Amino acid sequence: MTEKVAVIGLGYVGLTLACALASRCFQVTGLDVDEEKLEKIRRGTPPIYEEGLEPLLNHVLKLGALKVTSDYQEAVRESEACFICVGTPSNPDGSVDLRYVEETARMLGKALKDKPGYYLVVVRSTVPPGTTRNLVRRILEEESGRSIGDFGLCFNPEFLREGKALEDTFNPDRIVIGCVDRESGEKLLVIYRKFYGDKLPPTLITTLVNAELIKYVSNAFLATKISFINMVSQLCQALPGADVKVVAEGMGMDKRIGREFLAAGLGWGGSCFPKDALGLLRFGEELGVQLPIVEAAIKVNESQIEHTVKLAEELIGDLGGKLVAVLGLAFKPGTDDIRESRSIRLVEKLLERGARVRVHDPKAIENARKVLGERVSYAGSIEECMRGAELCILATEWPQYRRINAETLKRLMKTPALLDGRRLYKPEEFREIKFKAIGLGDSNQEP
Ligand code: UGA
């Protein structure tokens, strides 16, 4: 069936999906309530920075395969299936705020009233288990006066990494389809067969609730894996001769453990892991189930910042009044996103200790300014960031920081001291030229 689809919510998940589908024979209507965002998209400028998205957006606009609107009636009229990709932010207590999903279901339900024939609704926003059946289905049925069978309903999680969203859309490890009934699942499979052709990724078809849970626990597991190695990193720091980088390499050689997500550092941030870990914890509480491993993963993640500040003090003593240069503000390289960025958290802690902070980032300065304001100074280049600094902390491992030359830093800085929070450098190369340098998780001492 479906060649005409709608994508609701044009954030990094929705816009990526909309462009990807439009590039492969689908006629896509993108919907968002933010007119300013729509205007940018119409002009071919993605409202967020995502590798490869701008040329793809322009390509599909030129093809006439993507149009955008804020009108639900139009989006539903112009499609036979829709993907809900609206945000699910956190409430102050960490539980999930479902108001955008609710509103979308309401608007869709109203539009479905007059829609002839079968229509498939696919929830792609991350929602707590039970939400698709208990909330989305109920609202759709109430508002449309129709029931399952007239329309289909799936939960189909996204597993996209920011910065690699297109790559992950075109080549995912797996597709998980949770469906309310068989027909819904089969209809979504038709869409994916059409999209992937004979390269359909391994696909799991299951119930709505299993699919919803798979999304949450996958993120919680990955966050736990990072926290595990960060816990080991704190152990290594205290153990003469130990280096977490080597330990992680040795662990990862076991196929059952795997090398990925074992990079020790300041911890995990971004719009997903922190929100989903807390969301899962609150969800467990509601069911009366404790999730102590998730709790511990969050605790270790928080402790990495204090641990890093202590190392900074080990290097240059009391931070009061000292100029600290921080390289990298984005929550990871390749994005301008600073949501829950560990680097921003670190800057806040340094300021609390009385340090003067100067920051640099290739993409995230504008966003960082909204949060940090005039409390820090902003450098347009790495050199400018380093000039006169008493300590340099590498907080986000942008590839361009790899090229930093120790000799140049030494010349620019007031006192040559480096704290590598993402293990980008070989501290011994710095130490060779009498640079005080510590790598997170590297004890830097003879056994
Ligand atoms: C994450 C997941 O990787 C995606 O699979 C998922 O779809 C997405 O969340 C989501 O739920 O939408 P993302 O938040 O873009 O993707 O970022 P990651 O690349 O997973 O990194 C998350 C954080 O972990 C970053 O702060 C990164 O610096 C940190 N990290 C990652 C480490 O500290 N060490 C590692 O080894 C890997």
Side-chain angles (χ1 to χ4, degrees):
M1 61 151 208
T2 318
E3 289 192 5
K4 289 156 86 183
V5 296
V7 176
I8 300 171
L10 299 174
Y12 94 99
V13 174
L15 187 58
T16 306
L17 179 68
C19 291
L21 288 167
S23 74
R24 290 197 178 164
C25 302
F26 286 85
Q27 187 61 45
V28 183
T29 307
L31 183 143
D32 204 287
V33 289
D34 184 343
E35 282 293 345
E36 209 177 306
K37 195 186 265 186
L38 294 181
E39 211 29 66
K40 277 193 178 160
I41 296 172
R42 280 188 198 105
R43 278 189 269 117
T45 314
I48 37 121
Y49 173 75
E50 187 60 49
E51 204 179 298
L53 193 56
E54 187 156 355
L56 190 66
L57 172 63
N58 282 285
H59 171 66
V60 297
L61 287 173
K62 219 183 216 167
L63 285 178
L66 171 71
K67 62 175 186 176
V68 294
T69 179
S70 58
D71 180 357
Y72 275 86
Q73 297 285 343
E74 182 188 343
V76 170
R77 197 171 54 240
E78 296 289 317
S79 60
E80 291 150 50
C82 74
F83 291 86
I84 300 179
C85 303
V86 297
T88 47
S90 292
N91 286 314
D93 70 348
S95 62
V96 183
D97 176 354
L98 291 169
R99 85 177 91 154
Y100 303 115
V101 175
E102 263 184 81
E103 180 61 8
T104 301
R106 193 162 296 120
M107 298 304 286
L108 270 177
K110 284 190 206 310
L112 278 177
K113 238 186 210 167
D114 314 314
K115 175 83 182 166
Y118 188 86
Y119 194 87
L120 177 66
V121 177
V122 183
V123 179
R124 215 163 153 72
S125 308
T126 301
V127 292
T131 304
T132 308
R133 174 176 289 279
N134 302 332
L135 187 86
V136 179
R137 176 182 177 169
R138 178 178 53 76
I139 297 177
L140 285 173
E141 289 187 332
E142 275 171 15
E143 296 290 340
S144 68
R146 302 170 72 187
S147 44
I148 295 297
D150 296 333
F151 68 87
L153 184 60
C154 289
F155 177 78
N156 170 225
E158 51 81 18
F159 300 108
L160 316 181
R161 291 160 299 168
E162 269 188 60
K164 299 261 183 281
L166 277 174
E167 189 182 317
D168 290 347
T169 303
F170 286 112
N171 304 298
D173 283 352
R174 84 293 211 186
I175 293 176
V176 174
I177 296 178
C179 45
V180 76
D181 63 357
R182 230 176 119 165
E183 191 180 7
S184 309
E186 278 165 7
K187 293 276 197 252
L188 183 52
L189 205 53
V190 170
I191 294 181
Y192 282 132
R193 283 224 172 86
K194 189 173 163 58
F195 183 73
Y196 290 107
D198 55 7
K199 295 208 177 73
L200 184 75
T203 300
L204 177 76
I205 301 190
T206 180
T207 58
L208 292 171
V209 84
N210 279 338
E212 290 165 328
L213 196 54
I214 287 169
K215 168 67 192 191
Y216 267 98
V217 296
S218 295
N219 272 2
F221 187 85
L222 290 170
T224 303
K225 198 172 176 192
I226 303 168
S227 279
F228 186 89
I229 202 66
N230 282 337
M231 174 190 79
V232 175
S233 142
Q234 293 191 22
L235 185 63
C236 287
Q237 209 94 50
L239 177 64
D243 179 357
V244 72
K245 222 171 160 175
V246 182
V247 173
E249 195 185 334
M251 279 171 71
M253 287 162 82
D254 183 329
K255 281 204 234 34
R256 293 168 303 173
I257 299 174
R259 282 166 192 263
E260 288 192 55
F261 278 68
L262 281 183
L266 293 182
W268 35 273
S271 65
C272 304
F273 285 177
K275 171 174 82 80
D276 292 353
L278 259 184
L280 185 61
L281 215 55
R282 295 290 167 263
F283 181 72
E285 275 167 16
E286 275 168 33
L287 292 181
V289 180
Q290 299 239 310
L291 303 170
I293 295 182
V294 181
E295 235 167 279
I298 295 172
K299 210 163 146 191
V300 170
N301 203 42
E302 293 304 323
S303 73
Q304 278 301 84
I305 301 296
E306 192 54 42
H307 173 63
T308 306
V309 172
K310 277 210 189 95
L311 289 177
E313 286 167 342
E314 249 174 53
L315 271 170
I316 60 164
D318 185 17
L319 299 179
K322 301 227 169 93
L323 179 61
V324 180
V326 174
L327 290 177
L329 296 165
F331 84 93
K332 65 173 186 181
T335 174
D336 64 350
D337 195 342
I338 56 151
R339 282 177 289 175
E340 294 289 329
S341 167
R342 298 290 93 191
S343 169
I344 301 281
R345 191 66 67 89
L346 175 68
V347 169
E348 301 273 8
K349 268 270 177 306
L350 295 170
L351 290 171
E352 271 171 33
R353 300 284 166 102
R356 292 178 296 130
V357 181
R358 192 188 289 146
V359 295
H360 177 269
D361 190 283
K363 291 254 182 271
I365 291 285
E366 210 180 301
N367 284 335
R369 209 185 281 275
K370 291 178 202 152
V371 178
L372 297 171
E374 300 310 310
R375 291 180 295 151
V376 302
S377 55
Y378 301 88
S381 68
I382 300 171
E383 287 70 25
E384 189 190 332
C385 194
M386 290 308 137
R387 199 157 289 133
E390 283 152 274
L391 170 66
C392 164
I393 305 183
L394 185 280
T396 309
E397 67 281 28
W398 283 95
Q400 45 270 62
Y401 294 153
R402 209 181 284 273
R403 293 194 290 270
I404 283 178
N405 178 319
E407 296 280 359
T408 317
L409 281 199
K410 195 173 175 189
R411 189 164 39 76
L412 290 169
M413 291 176 72
K414 184 169 171 193
T415 52
L418 170 79
L419 176 48
D420 181 355
R422 294 285 177 182
R423 299 305 302 272
L424 197 63
Y425 306 113
K426 293 198 173 89
E428 56 280 10
E429 284 177 10
F430 283 77
R431 291 197 288 263
E432 269 166 20
I433 58 161
K434 302 222 167 357
F435 214 107
K436 282 198 218 163
I438 298 185
L440 215 64
D442 180 6
S443 75
N444 174 23
Q445 292 165 42
E446 293 300 318

